[in-house]
């Protein structure tokens, strides 16, 4: 059973340093833990690097899709200029 410090209102939540964020391998108490973005633990430098590369690829895809979306919306905006004459 886990300590009361890790249990909240009767629900046992896993502590964030119990398993690797990428591969879910249990993290040992006497082994190195590789951190990324403040609160993401990894069992090895390889898992950490793979997560960094995944995040960077996702950010690049987001930037490309955001840029395409902006270009598409600019192209779809039409501005008409001219004079409107109304007679009675």
């Amino acid at each position: 059973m886990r300590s009361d410090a890790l249990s909240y209102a009767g629900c046992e939540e896993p502590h964030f340093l119990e398993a690797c964020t990428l591969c879910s391998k249990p993290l040992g108490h006497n082994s190195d833990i590789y951190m990324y973005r403040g609160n993401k633990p990894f069992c090895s430098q390889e898992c950490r690097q793979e997560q960094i590369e995944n995040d960077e690829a996702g950010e690049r895809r987001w930037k490309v899709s955001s840029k395409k979306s902006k270009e598409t919306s600019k192209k779809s905006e039409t501005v008409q200029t001219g004079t409107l004459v109304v007679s009675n």
Side-chain angles (χ1 to χ4, degrees):
M1 177 152 198
R2 294 189 182 150
S3 71
D4 290 335
L6 297 178
S7 178
Y8 178 74
C11 298
E12 291 188 22
E13 295 275 331
H15 190 269
F16 83 101
L17 290 177
E18 285 187 1
C20 177
T21 298
L22 188 68
C23 71
S24 300
K25 176 182 172 185
L27 300 173
H29 294 288
N30 291 326
S31 62
D32 290 337
I33 297 175
Y34 302 88
M35 300 298 292
Y36 172 60
R37 291 201 169 170
N39 62 352
K40 293 182 179 182
F42 297 90
C43 64
S44 66
Q45 290 178 337
E46 292 80 13
C47 277
R48 180 180 179 272
Q49 186 60 38
E50 186 173 337
Q51 183 66 52
I52 290 169
E53 290 168 5
N54 290 342
D55 288 352
E56 288 174 350
E59 289 169 5
R60 282 191 299 271
R61 283 191 302 274
W62 180 83
K63 286 179 183 178
V64 167
S65 68
S66 177
K67 184 178 179 181
K68 284 182 181 179
S69 176
K70 286 179 184 178
E71 288 173 358
T72 302
S73 75
K74 284 182 182 179
K75 287 179 183 177
S76 66
E77 292 176 7
T78 57
V79 177
Q80 295 180 351
T81 60
T83 304
L84 176 63
V85 178
V86 178
S87 63
N88 289 331

